[in-house]
PDB file of all heavy atoms in Angstrom:
ATOM      1  N   SER A  92       0.811  -1.220   0.002  1.00 84.00           N
ATOM      2  CA  SER A  92       0.025   0.005   0.024  1.00 84.00           C
ATOM      3  C   SER A  92       0.831   1.264  -0.011  1.00 84.00           C
ATOM      4  O   SER A  92       0.336   2.353   0.206  1.00 84.00           O
ATOM      5  CB  SER A  92      -0.951  -0.001   1.194  1.00 84.00           C
ATOM      6  OG  SER A  92      -0.216   0.088   2.436  1.00 84.00           O
ATOM      7  N   GLY A  93       2.146   1.183  -0.249  1.00 81.00           N
ATOM      8  CA  GLY A  93       3.015   2.259  -0.360  1.00 81.00           C
ATOM      9  C   GLY A  93       4.370   1.830  -0.845  1.00 81.00           C
ATOM     10  O   GLY A  93       4.563   0.668  -1.146  1.00 81.00           O
ATOM     11  N   PRO A  94       5.291   2.745  -0.891  1.00 82.00           N
ATOM     12  CA  PRO A  94       6.676   2.405  -1.399  1.00 82.00           C
ATOM     13  C   PRO A  94       7.489   1.712  -0.387  1.00 82.00           C
ATOM     14  O   PRO A  94       8.489   2.231   0.086  1.00 82.00           O
ATOM     15  CB  PRO A  94       7.197   3.801  -1.796  1.00 82.00           C
ATOM     16  CG  PRO A  94       6.520   4.723  -0.831  1.00 82.00           C
ATOM     17  CD  PRO A  94       5.174   4.165  -0.575  1.00 82.00           C
ATOM     18  N   TYR A  95       7.123   0.474  -0.022  1.00 88.00           N
ATOM     19  CA  TYR A  95       7.760  -0.288   1.008  1.00 88.00           C
ATOM     20  C   TYR A  95       8.575  -1.386   0.362  1.00 88.00           C
ATOM     21  O   TYR A  95       8.422  -1.755  -0.814  1.00 88.00           O
ATOM     22  CB  TYR A  95       6.729  -0.920   1.926  1.00 88.00           C
ATOM     23  CG  TYR A  95       5.815   0.109   2.499  1.00 88.00           C
ATOM     24  CD1 TYR A  95       4.427  -0.027   2.287  1.00 88.00           C
ATOM     25  CD2 TYR A  95       6.274   1.182   3.210  1.00 88.00           C
ATOM     26  CE1 TYR A  95       3.536   0.927   2.812  1.00 88.00           C
ATOM     27  CE2 TYR A  95       5.408   2.129   3.700  1.00 88.00           C
ATOM     28  CZ  TYR A  95       4.040   2.025   3.510  1.00 88.00           C
ATOM     29  OH  TYR A  95       3.157   2.914   4.017  1.00 88.00           O
ATOM     30  N   ASN A  96       9.513  -1.970   1.178  1.00 90.00           N
ATOM     31  CA  ASN A  96      10.266  -3.106   0.634  1.00 90.00           C
ATOM     32  C   ASN A  96      10.062  -4.328   1.458  1.00 90.00           C
ATOM     33  O   ASN A  96       9.499  -4.329   2.546  1.00 90.00           O
ATOM     34  CB  ASN A  96      11.790  -2.744   0.568  1.00 90.00           C
ATOM     35  CG  ASN A  96      12.363  -2.422   1.909  1.00 90.00           C
ATOM     36  OD1 ASN A  96      12.159  -3.113   2.881  1.00 90.00           O
ATOM     37  ND2 ASN A  96      13.115  -1.331   1.980  1.00 90.00           N
ATOM     38  N   PHE A  97      10.509  -5.471   0.911  1.00 94.00           N
ATOM     39  CA  PHE A  97      10.327  -6.777   1.476  1.00 94.00           C
ATOM     40  C   PHE A  97      11.720  -7.410   1.466  1.00 94.00           C
ATOM     41  O   PHE A  97      12.266  -7.800   0.437  1.00 94.00           O
ATOM     42  CB  PHE A  97       9.396  -7.597   0.571  1.00 94.00           C
ATOM     43  CG  PHE A  97       8.943  -8.970   1.077  1.00 94.00           C
ATOM     44  CD1 PHE A  97       7.634  -9.314   0.954  1.00 94.00           C
ATOM     45  CD2 PHE A  97       9.839  -9.864   1.560  1.00 94.00           C
ATOM     46  CE1 PHE A  97       7.185 -10.579   1.352  1.00 94.00           C
ATOM     47  CE2 PHE A  97       9.434 -11.117   1.983  1.00 94.00           C
ATOM     48  CZ  PHE A  97       8.136 -11.447   1.896  1.00 94.00           C
ATOM     49  N   LYS A  98      12.345  -7.542   2.663  1.00 95.00           N
ATOM     50  CA  LYS A  98      13.684  -8.146   2.766  1.00 95.00           C
ATOM     51  C   LYS A  98      13.572  -9.600   3.275  1.00 95.00           C
ATOM     52  O   LYS A  98      12.837  -9.874   4.184  1.00 95.00           O
ATOM     53  CB  LYS A  98      14.539  -7.335   3.768  1.00 95.00           C
ATOM     54  CG  LYS A  98      14.927  -5.958   3.336  1.00 95.00           C
ATOM     55  CD  LYS A  98      15.821  -5.276   4.304  1.00 95.00           C
ATOM     56  CE  LYS A  98      16.133  -3.851   3.871  1.00 95.00           C
ATOM     57  NZ  LYS A  98      16.865  -3.151   4.914  1.00 95.00           N
ATOM     58  N   VAL A  99      14.351 -10.430   2.615  1.00 95.00           N
ATOM     59  CA  VAL A  99      14.377 -11.853   2.973  1.00 95.00           C
ATOM     60  C   VAL A  99      15.734 -12.194   3.473  1.00 95.00           C
ATOM     61  O   VAL A  99      16.738 -12.211   2.760  1.00 95.00           O
ATOM     62  CB  VAL A  99      13.972 -12.742   1.741  1.00 95.00           C
ATOM     63  CG1 VAL A  99      14.033 -14.214   2.170  1.00 95.00           C
ATOM     64  CG2 VAL A  99      12.653 -12.371   1.157  1.00 95.00           C
ATOM     65  N   LEU A 100      15.867 -12.322   4.819  1.00 94.00           N
ATOM     66  CA  LEU A 100      17.122 -12.763   5.429  1.00 94.00           C
ATOM     67  C   LEU A 100      17.052 -14.177   5.850  1.00 94.00           C
ATOM     68  O   LEU A 100      18.050 -14.851   6.080  1.00 94.00           O
ATOM     69  CB  LEU A 100      17.375 -11.906   6.689  1.00 94.00           C
ATOM     70  CG  LEU A 100      17.470 -10.369   6.435  1.00 94.00           C
ATOM     71  CD1 LEU A 100      17.573  -9.664   7.771  1.00 94.00           C
ATOM     72  CD2 LEU A 100      18.642 -10.044   5.567  1.00 94.00           C
ATOM     73  N   GLY A 101      15.801 -14.698   5.986  1.00 94.00           N
ATOM     74  CA  GLY A 101      15.608 -16.126   6.346  1.00 94.00           C
ATOM     75  C   GLY A 101      15.112 -16.872   5.123  1.00 94.00           C
ATOM     76  O   GLY A 101      15.764 -16.812   4.030  1.00 94.00           O
ATOM     77  N   ARG A 102      14.087 -17.608   5.279  1.00 94.00           N
ATOM     78  CA  ARG A 102      13.591 -18.519   4.187  1.00 94.00           C
ATOM     79  C   ARG A 102      12.183 -18.082   3.701  1.00 94.00           C
ATOM     80  O   ARG A 102      11.259 -17.900   4.516  1.00 94.00           O
ATOM     81  CB  ARG A 102      13.534 -19.930   4.713  1.00 94.00           C
ATOM     82  CG  ARG A 102      13.073 -20.958   3.680  1.00 94.00           C
ATOM     83  CD  ARG A 102      13.264 -22.349   4.147  1.00 94.00           C
ATOM     84  NE  ARG A 102      12.693 -23.263   3.154  1.00 94.00           N
ATOM     85  CZ  ARG A 102      12.823 -24.493   3.258  1.00 94.00           C
ATOM     86  NH1 ARG A 102      13.474 -25.074   4.275  1.00 94.00           N
ATOM     87  NH2 ARG A 102      12.305 -25.317   2.333  1.00 94.00           N
ATOM     88  N   LEU A 103      11.980 -17.999   2.437  1.00 95.00           N
ATOM     89  CA  LEU A 103      10.728 -17.715   1.798  1.00 95.00           C
ATOM     90  C   LEU A 103      10.330 -18.883   0.910  1.00 95.00           C
ATOM     91  O   LEU A 103      11.052 -19.238  -0.052  1.00 95.00           O
ATOM     92  CB  LEU A 103      10.764 -16.419   0.934  1.00 95.00           C
ATOM     93  CG  LEU A 103       9.529 -16.132   0.098  1.00 95.00           C
ATOM     94  CD1 LEU A 103       8.312 -15.889   1.009  1.00 95.00           C
ATOM     95  CD2 LEU A 103       9.787 -14.938  -0.786  1.00 95.00           C
ATOM     96  N   ASP A 104       9.267 -19.563   1.235  1.00 95.00           N
ATOM     97  CA  ASP A 104       8.717 -20.668   0.401  1.00 95.00           C
ATOM     98  C   ASP A 104       7.458 -20.168  -0.248  1.00 95.00           C
ATOM     99  O   ASP A 104       6.409 -19.965   0.428  1.00 95.00           O
ATOM    100  CB  ASP A 104       8.387 -21.887   1.221  1.00 95.00           C
ATOM    101  CG  ASP A 104       9.607 -22.611   1.740  1.00 95.00           C
ATOM    102  OD1 ASP A 104      10.699 -22.488   1.079  1.00 95.00           O
ATOM    103  OD2 ASP A 104       9.511 -23.332   2.769  1.00 95.00           O
ATOM    104  N   ALA A 105       7.557 -19.848  -1.560  1.00 93.00           N
ATOM    105  CA  ALA A 105       6.391 -19.335  -2.288  1.00 93.00           C
ATOM    106  C   ALA A 105       6.429 -19.920  -3.684  1.00 93.00           C
ATOM    107  O   ALA A 105       7.082 -19.467  -4.566  1.00 93.00           O
ATOM    108  CB  ALA A 105       6.525 -17.793  -2.401  1.00 93.00           C
ATOM    109  N   THR A 106       5.659 -21.031  -3.796  1.00 92.00           N
ATOM    110  CA  THR A 106       5.616 -21.734  -5.092  1.00 92.00           C
ATOM    111  C   THR A 106       4.174 -21.738  -5.585  1.00 92.00           C
ATOM    112  O   THR A 106       3.307 -22.399  -5.038  1.00 92.00           O
ATOM    113  CB  THR A 106       6.121 -23.219  -4.939  1.00 92.00           C
ATOM    114  OG1 THR A 106       7.423 -23.165  -4.334  1.00 92.00           O
ATOM    115  CG2 THR A 106       6.187 -23.895  -6.281  1.00 92.00           C
ATOM    116  N   GLY A 107       3.962 -20.975  -6.643  1.00 90.00           N
ATOM    117  CA  GLY A 107       2.662 -20.949  -7.246  1.00 90.00           C
ATOM    118  C   GLY A 107       2.512 -22.086  -8.276  1.00 90.00           C
ATOM    119  O   GLY A 107       3.397 -22.856  -8.463  1.00 90.00           O
ATOM    120  N   THR A 108       1.349 -22.031  -8.901  1.00 90.00           N
ATOM    121  CA  THR A 108       1.098 -23.014  -9.986  1.00 90.00           C
ATOM    122  C   THR A 108       0.624 -22.266 -11.199  1.00 90.00           C
ATOM    123  O   THR A 108       0.343 -21.049 -11.124  1.00 90.00           O
ATOM    124  CB  THR A 108       0.033 -24.046  -9.564  1.00 90.00           C
ATOM    125  OG1 THR A 108      -1.240 -23.398  -9.426  1.00 90.00           O
ATOM    126  CG2 THR A 108       0.404 -24.755  -8.265  1.00 90.00           C
ATOM    127  N   VAL A 109       0.522 -22.966 -12.336  1.00 89.00           N
ATOM    128  CA  VAL A 109      -0.043 -22.287 -13.571  1.00 89.00           C
ATOM    129  C   VAL A 109      -1.421 -21.741 -13.317  1.00 89.00           C
ATOM    130  O   VAL A 109      -1.794 -20.638 -13.640  1.00 89.00           O
ATOM    131  CB  VAL A 109      -0.035 -23.269 -14.717  1.00 89.00           C
ATOM    132  CG1 VAL A 109      -0.741 -22.641 -15.929  1.00 89.00           C
ATOM    133  CG2 VAL A 109       1.383 -23.671 -15.071  1.00 89.00           C
ATOM    134  N   GLU A 110      -2.250 -22.520 -12.566  1.00 90.00           N
ATOM    135  CA  GLU A 110      -3.621 -22.129 -12.248  1.00 90.00           C
ATOM    136  C   GLU A 110      -3.700 -21.066 -11.123  1.00 90.00           C
ATOM    137  O   GLU A 110      -4.619 -20.265 -11.076  1.00 90.00           O
ATOM    138  CB  GLU A 110      -4.452 -23.277 -11.881  1.00 90.00           C
ATOM    139  CG  GLU A 110      -4.637 -24.366 -12.982  1.00 90.00           C
ATOM    140  CD  GLU A 110      -3.428 -25.300 -13.067  1.00 90.00           C
ATOM    141  OE1 GLU A 110      -2.712 -25.488 -12.066  1.00 90.00           O
ATOM    142  OE2 GLU A 110      -3.215 -25.864 -14.168  1.00 90.00           O
ATOM    143  N   ASP A 111      -2.794 -21.137 -10.167  1.00 91.00           N
ATOM    144  CA  ASP A 111      -2.810 -20.307  -8.996  1.00 91.00           C
ATOM    145  C   ASP A 111      -1.466 -19.684  -8.726  1.00 91.00           C
ATOM    146  O   ASP A 111      -0.643 -20.169  -7.896  1.00 91.00           O
ATOM    147  CB  ASP A 111      -3.235 -21.122  -7.756  1.00 91.00           C
ATOM    148  CG  ASP A 111      -4.692 -21.456  -7.699  1.00 91.00           C
ATOM    149  OD1 ASP A 111      -5.489 -20.586  -8.083  1.00 91.00           O
ATOM    150  OD2 ASP A 111      -5.040 -22.602  -7.321  1.00 91.00           O
ATOM    151  N   SER A 112      -1.177 -18.624  -9.466  1.00 94.00           N
ATOM    152  CA  SER A 112       0.104 -17.877  -9.283  1.00 94.00           C
ATOM    153  C   SER A 112       0.083 -17.148  -7.959  1.00 94.00           C
ATOM    154  O   SER A 112      -0.983 -16.818  -7.431  1.00 94.00           O
ATOM    155  CB  SER A 112       0.354 -16.878 -10.397  1.00 94.00           C
ATOM    156  OG  SER A 112       0.375 -17.566 -11.643  1.00 94.00           O
ATOM    157  N   ILE A 113       1.248 -16.851  -7.417  1.00 95.00           N
ATOM    158  CA  ILE A 113       1.383 -15.939  -6.305  1.00 95.00           C
ATOM    159  C   ILE A 113       1.686 -14.567  -6.880  1.00 95.00           C
ATOM    160  O   ILE A 113       2.627 -14.411  -7.690  1.00 95.00           O
ATOM    161  CB  ILE A 113       2.453 -16.386  -5.315  1.00 95.00           C
ATOM    162  CG1 ILE A 113       2.075 -17.761  -4.766  1.00 95.00           C
ATOM    163  CG2 ILE A 113       2.654 -15.350  -4.216  1.00 95.00           C
ATOM    164  CD1 ILE A 113       3.222 -18.414  -3.978  1.00 95.00           C
ATOM    165  N   TYR A 114       0.921 -13.564  -6.541  1.00 92.00           N
ATOM    166  CA  TYR A 114       0.959 -12.220  -7.085  1.00 92.00           C
ATOM    167  C   TYR A 114       1.548 -11.256  -6.109  1.00 92.00           C
ATOM    168  O   TYR A 114       0.976 -11.111  -5.023  1.00 92.00           O
ATOM    169  CB  TYR A 114      -0.399 -11.775  -7.596  1.00 92.00           C
ATOM    170  CG  TYR A 114      -0.334 -10.380  -8.146  1.00 92.00           C
ATOM    171  CD1 TYR A 114       0.093 -10.105  -9.445  1.00 92.00           C
ATOM    172  CD2 TYR A 114      -0.847  -9.299  -7.368  1.00 92.00           C
ATOM    173  CE1 TYR A 114       0.113  -8.826  -9.894  1.00 92.00           C
ATOM    174  CE2 TYR A 114      -0.851  -8.052  -7.897  1.00 92.00           C
ATOM    175  CZ  TYR A 114      -0.393  -7.796  -9.147  1.00 92.00           C
ATOM    176  OH  TYR A 114      -0.390  -6.520  -9.666  1.00 92.00           O
ATOM    177  N   PHE A 115       2.647 -10.562  -6.388  1.00 90.00           N
ATOM    178  CA  PHE A 115       3.227  -9.458  -5.640  1.00 90.00           C
ATOM    179  C   PHE A 115       2.973  -8.213  -6.489  1.00 90.00           C
ATOM    180  O   PHE A 115       3.347  -8.114  -7.647  1.00 90.00           O
ATOM    181  CB  PHE A 115       4.695  -9.672  -5.395  1.00 90.00           C
ATOM    182  CG  PHE A 115       5.042 -10.793  -4.488  1.00 90.00           C
ATOM    183  CD1 PHE A 115       5.220 -12.047  -4.947  1.00 90.00           C
ATOM    184  CD2 PHE A 115       5.134 -10.586  -3.110  1.00 90.00           C
ATOM    185  CE1 PHE A 115       5.602 -13.116  -4.168  1.00 90.00           C
ATOM    186  CE2 PHE A 115       5.463 -11.627  -2.271  1.00 90.00           C
ATOM    187  CZ  PHE A 115       5.666 -12.910  -2.757  1.00 90.00           C
ATOM    188  N   GLY A 116       2.357  -7.208  -5.836  1.00 86.00           N
ATOM    189  CA  GLY A 116       2.097  -5.947  -6.624  1.00 86.00           C
ATOM    190  C   GLY A 116       1.795  -4.837  -5.652  1.00 86.00           C
ATOM    191  O   GLY A 116       2.096  -4.905  -4.468  1.00 86.00           O
ATOM    192  N   MET A 117       1.119  -3.821  -6.212  1.00 82.00           N
ATOM    193  CA  MET A 117       0.845  -2.696  -5.368  1.00 82.00           C
ATOM    194  C   MET A 117      -0.688  -2.448  -5.299  1.00 82.00           C
ATOM    195  O   MET A 117      -1.439  -2.749  -6.213  1.00 82.00           O
ATOM    196  CB  MET A 117       1.493  -1.457  -5.867  1.00 82.00           C
ATOM    197  CG  MET A 117       1.195  -1.050  -7.315  1.00 82.00           C
ATOM    198  SD  MET A 117       2.159   0.413  -7.740  1.00 82.00           S
ATOM    199  CE  MET A 117       0.881   1.379  -8.473  1.00 82.00           C
ATOM    200  N   ALA A 118      -1.073  -1.978  -4.184  1.00 79.00           N
ATOM    201  CA  ALA A 118      -2.519  -1.594  -3.955  1.00 79.00           C
ATOM    202  C   ALA A 118      -2.404  -0.103  -3.676  1.00 79.00           C
ATOM    203  O   ALA A 118      -2.093   0.328  -2.573  1.00 79.00           O
ATOM    204  CB  ALA A 118      -3.077  -2.326  -2.781  1.00 79.00           C
ATOM    205  N   ASP A 119      -2.629   0.690  -4.641  1.00 65.00           N
ATOM    206  CA  ASP A 119      -2.435   2.162  -4.513  1.00 65.00           C
ATOM    207  C   ASP A 119      -3.612   2.779  -3.728  1.00 65.00           C
ATOM    208  O   ASP A 119      -4.331   3.586  -4.270  1.00 65.00           O
ATOM    209  CB  ASP A 119      -2.288   2.760  -5.840  1.00 65.00           C
ATOM    210  CG  ASP A 119      -1.787   4.230  -5.828  1.00 65.00           C
ATOM    211  OD1 ASP A 119      -1.595   4.745  -4.693  1.00 65.00           O
ATOM    212  OD2 ASP A 119      -1.546   4.805  -6.865  1.00 65.00           O
ATOM    213  N   THR A 120      -3.693   2.375  -2.467  1.00 53.00           N
ATOM    214  CA  THR A 120      -4.744   2.940  -1.610  1.00 53.00           C
ATOM    215  C   THR A 120      -4.341   4.300  -0.989  1.00 53.00           C
ATOM    216  O   THR A 120      -5.188   4.992  -0.464  1.00 53.00           O
ATOM    217  CB  THR A 120      -5.112   2.003  -0.500  1.00 53.00           C
ATOM    218  OG1 THR A 120      -3.930   1.726   0.262  1.00 53.00           O
ATOM    219  CG2 THR A 120      -5.622   0.674  -1.075  1.00 53.00           C
ATOM    220  N   ALA A 121      -3.072   4.620  -1.077  1.00 53.00           N
ATOM    221  CA  ALA A 121      -2.600   5.854  -0.419  1.00 53.00           C
ATOM    222  C   ALA A 121      -2.291   6.940  -1.448  1.00 53.00           C
ATOM    223  O   ALA A 121      -1.848   8.017  -1.055  1.00 53.00           O
ATOM    224  CB  ALA A 121      -1.345   5.551   0.379  1.00 53.00           C
ATOM    225  N   GLY A 122      -2.473   6.652  -2.735  1.00 58.00           N
ATOM    226  CA  GLY A 122      -2.153   7.614  -3.745  1.00 58.00           C
ATOM    227  C   GLY A 122      -0.698   7.892  -3.973  1.00 58.00           C
ATOM    228  O   GLY A 122      -0.289   8.957  -4.452  1.00 58.00           O
ATOM    229  N   PHE A 123       0.191   6.931  -3.677  1.00 57.00           N
ATOM    230  CA  PHE A 123       1.588   7.140  -3.760  1.00 57.00           C
ATOM    231  C   PHE A 123       2.094   6.949  -5.258  1.00 57.00           C
ATOM    232  O   PHE A 123       3.159   7.322  -5.572  1.00 57.00           O
ATOM    233  CB  PHE A 123       2.423   6.208  -2.862  1.00 57.00           C
ATOM    234  CG  PHE A 123       2.356   4.769  -3.279  1.00 57.00           C
ATOM    235  CD1 PHE A 123       3.299   4.242  -4.071  1.00 57.00           C
ATOM    236  CD2 PHE A 123       1.369   3.918  -2.742  1.00 57.00           C
ATOM    237  CE1 PHE A 123       3.283   2.873  -4.463  1.00 57.00           C
ATOM    238  CE2 PHE A 123       1.340   2.592  -3.114  1.00 57.00           C
ATOM    239  CZ  PHE A 123       2.283   2.058  -3.896  1.00 57.00           C
ATOM    240  N   SER A 124       1.229   6.369  -6.094  1.00 56.00           N
ATOM    241  CA  SER A 124       1.635   6.199  -7.482  1.00 56.00           C
ATOM    242  C   SER A 124       1.558   7.525  -8.235  1.00 56.00           C
ATOM    243  O   SER A 124       0.494   8.092  -8.347  1.00 56.00           O
ATOM    244  CB  SER A 124       0.744   5.162  -8.163  1.00 56.00           C
ATOM    245  OG  SER A 124       1.176   4.926  -9.493  1.00 56.00           O
ATOM    246  N   THR A 125       2.642   7.999  -8.727  1.00 60.00           N
ATOM    247  CA  THR A 125       2.737   9.259  -9.461  1.00 60.00           C
ATOM    248  C   THR A 125       3.603   9.052 -10.707  1.00 60.00           C
ATOM    249  O   THR A 125       4.146   7.980 -10.890  1.00 60.00           O
ATOM    250  CB  THR A 125       3.385  10.390  -8.599  1.00 60.00           C
ATOM    251  OG1 THR A 125       4.727  10.061  -8.400  1.00 60.00           O
ATOM    252  CG2 THR A 125       2.644  10.585  -7.268  1.00 60.00           C
ATOM    253  N   ALA A 126       3.715  10.076 -11.508  1.00 57.00           N
ATOM    254  CA  ALA A 126       4.589   9.943 -12.685  1.00 57.00           C
ATOM    255  C   ALA A 126       5.978   9.734 -12.252  1.00 57.00           C
ATOM    256  O   ALA A 126       6.773   9.104 -13.004  1.00 57.00           O
ATOM    257  CB  ALA A 126       4.470  11.268 -13.451  1.00 57.00           C
ATOM    258  N   ALA A 127       6.442  10.210 -11.098  1.00 56.00           N
ATOM    259  CA  ALA A 127       7.830  10.104 -10.623  1.00 56.00           C
ATOM    260  C   ALA A 127       8.055   8.731  -9.966  1.00 56.00           C
ATOM    261  O   ALA A 127       9.143   8.202  -9.991  1.00 56.00           O
ATOM    262  CB  ALA A 127       8.138  11.175  -9.631  1.00 56.00           C
ATOM    263  N   TYR A 128       6.996   8.126  -9.379  1.00 59.00           N
ATOM    264  CA  TYR A 128       7.169   6.828  -8.686  1.00 59.00           C
ATOM    265  C   TYR A 128       5.944   5.964  -8.996  1.00 59.00           C
ATOM    266  O   TYR A 128       4.851   6.379  -8.742  1.00 59.00           O
ATOM    267  CB  TYR A 128       7.298   7.085  -7.176  1.00 59.00           C
ATOM    268  CG  TYR A 128       7.475   5.753  -6.485  1.00 59.00           C
ATOM    269  CD1 TYR A 128       8.748   5.132  -6.445  1.00 59.00           C
ATOM    270  CD2 TYR A 128       6.421   5.089  -5.891  1.00 59.00           C
ATOM    271  CE1 TYR A 128       8.886   3.903  -5.881  1.00 59.00           C
ATOM    272  CE2 TYR A 128       6.575   3.806  -5.309  1.00 59.00           C
ATOM    273  CZ  TYR A 128       7.801   3.283  -5.325  1.00 59.00           C
ATOM    274  OH  TYR A 128       7.957   2.062  -4.741  1.00 59.00           O
ATOM    275  N   GLU A 129       6.210   4.786  -9.511  1.00 56.00           N
ATOM    276  CA  GLU A 129       5.052   3.964  -9.942  1.00 56.00           C
ATOM    277  C   GLU A 129       5.026   2.588  -9.324  1.00 56.00           C
ATOM    278  O   GLU A 129       4.821   1.578 -10.035  1.00 56.00           O
ATOM    279  CB  GLU A 129       5.071   3.814 -11.465  1.00 56.00           C
ATOM    280  CG  GLU A 129       4.849   5.198 -12.128  1.00 56.00           C
ATOM    281  CD  GLU A 129       4.808   5.065 -13.654  1.00 56.00           C
ATOM    282  OE1 GLU A 129       4.791   3.938 -14.162  1.00 56.00           O
ATOM    283  OE2 GLU A 129       4.863   6.093 -14.295  1.00 56.00           O
ATOM    284  N   GLY A 130       5.288   2.418  -8.044  1.00 63.00           N
ATOM    285  CA  GLY A 130       5.227   1.069  -7.503  1.00 63.00           C
ATOM    286  C   GLY A 130       5.859   0.922  -6.136  1.00 63.00           C
ATOM    287  O   GLY A 130       6.293   1.876  -5.531  1.00 63.00           O
ATOM    288  N   TRP A 131       5.865  -0.316  -5.660  1.00 74.00           N
ATOM    289  CA  TRP A 131       6.507  -0.646  -4.404  1.00 74.00           C
ATOM    290  C   TRP A 131       8.006  -0.840  -4.607  1.00 74.00           C
ATOM    291  O   TRP A 131       8.474  -0.933  -5.732  1.00 74.00           O
ATOM    292  CB  TRP A 131       5.815  -1.847  -3.810  1.00 74.00           C
ATOM    293  CG  TRP A 131       5.830  -3.143  -4.605  1.00 74.00           C
ATOM    294  CD1 TRP A 131       5.085  -3.407  -5.727  1.00 74.00           C
ATOM    295  CD2 TRP A 131       6.536  -4.334  -4.327  1.00 74.00           C
ATOM    296  NE1 TRP A 131       5.359  -4.636  -6.168  1.00 74.00           N
ATOM    297  CE2 TRP A 131       6.236  -5.278  -5.327  1.00 74.00           C
ATOM    298  CE3 TRP A 131       7.433  -4.672  -3.333  1.00 74.00           C
ATOM    299  CZ2 TRP A 131       6.773  -6.524  -5.322  1.00 74.00           C
ATOM    300  CZ3 TRP A 131       7.970  -5.967  -3.361  1.00 74.00           C
ATOM    301  CH2 TRP A 131       7.606  -6.873  -4.374  1.00 74.00           C
ATOM    302  N   MET A 132       8.787  -0.889  -3.541  1.00 79.00           N
ATOM    303  CA  MET A 132      10.216  -0.885  -3.620  1.00 79.00           C
ATOM    304  C   MET A 132      10.794  -2.297  -3.939  1.00 79.00           C
ATOM    305  O   MET A 132      11.992  -2.366  -4.101  1.00 79.00           O
ATOM    306  CB  MET A 132      10.778  -0.378  -2.284  1.00 79.00           C
ATOM    307  CG  MET A 132      10.357   1.069  -1.969  1.00 79.00           C
ATOM    308  SD  MET A 132      10.887   2.224  -3.195  1.00 79.00           S
ATOM    309  CE  MET A 132      12.615   2.267  -2.925  1.00 79.00           C
ATOM    310  N   GLY A 133      10.023  -3.276  -3.990  1.00 82.00           N
ATOM    311  CA  GLY A 133      10.542  -4.596  -4.421  1.00 82.00           C
ATOM    312  C   GLY A 133      10.945  -5.488  -3.299  1.00 82.00           C
ATOM    313  O   GLY A 133      10.724  -5.238  -2.110  1.00 82.00           O
ATOM    314  N   MET A 134      11.597  -6.577  -3.640  1.00 87.00           N
ATOM    315  CA  MET A 134      11.993  -7.650  -2.742  1.00 87.00           C
ATOM    316  C   MET A 134      13.538  -7.752  -2.827  1.00 87.00           C
ATOM    317  O   MET A 134      14.137  -7.779  -3.900  1.00 87.00           O
ATOM    318  CB  MET A 134      11.295  -8.920  -3.246  1.00 87.00           C
ATOM    319  CG  MET A 134      11.290  -9.994  -2.224  1.00 87.00           C
ATOM    320  SD  MET A 134      10.434 -11.430  -2.918  1.00 87.00           S
ATOM    321  CE  MET A 134       8.733 -11.003  -2.512  1.00 87.00           C
ATOM    322  N   ALA A 135      14.177  -7.985  -1.717  1.00 88.00           N
ATOM    323  CA  ALA A 135      15.648  -8.125  -1.629  1.00 88.00           C
ATOM    324  C   ALA A 135      15.966  -9.424  -0.898  1.00 88.00           C
ATOM    325  O   ALA A 135      15.494  -9.581   0.282  1.00 88.00           O
ATOM    326  CB  ALA A 135      16.277  -6.915  -0.948  1.00 88.00           C
TER     327      ALA A 135
END
């Protein structure tokens, strides 16, 4: 819901399927998406 990041220092088990993918994206509920910034900060 904003320009946040997701850091993985431990273990992430996220295995989707063709029918049921796992979706990471943005929910622009705060109005942070602008011409200068268009998304969340990603995963590291």
Side-chain angles (χ1 to χ4, degrees):
S92 65
Y95 308 120
N96 60 47
F97 187 136
K98 290 183 184 173
V99 180
L100 303 173
R102 181 173 175 172
L103 174 63
D104 289 335
T106 305
T108 67
V109 172
E110 297 82 22
D111 286 320
S112 299
I113 297 170
Y114 176 78
F115 291 89
M117 59 183 227
D119 192 357
T120 58
F123 69 91
S124 181
T125 66
Y128 181 79
E129 297 181 9
W131 59 289
M132 299 300 288
M134 197 178 275

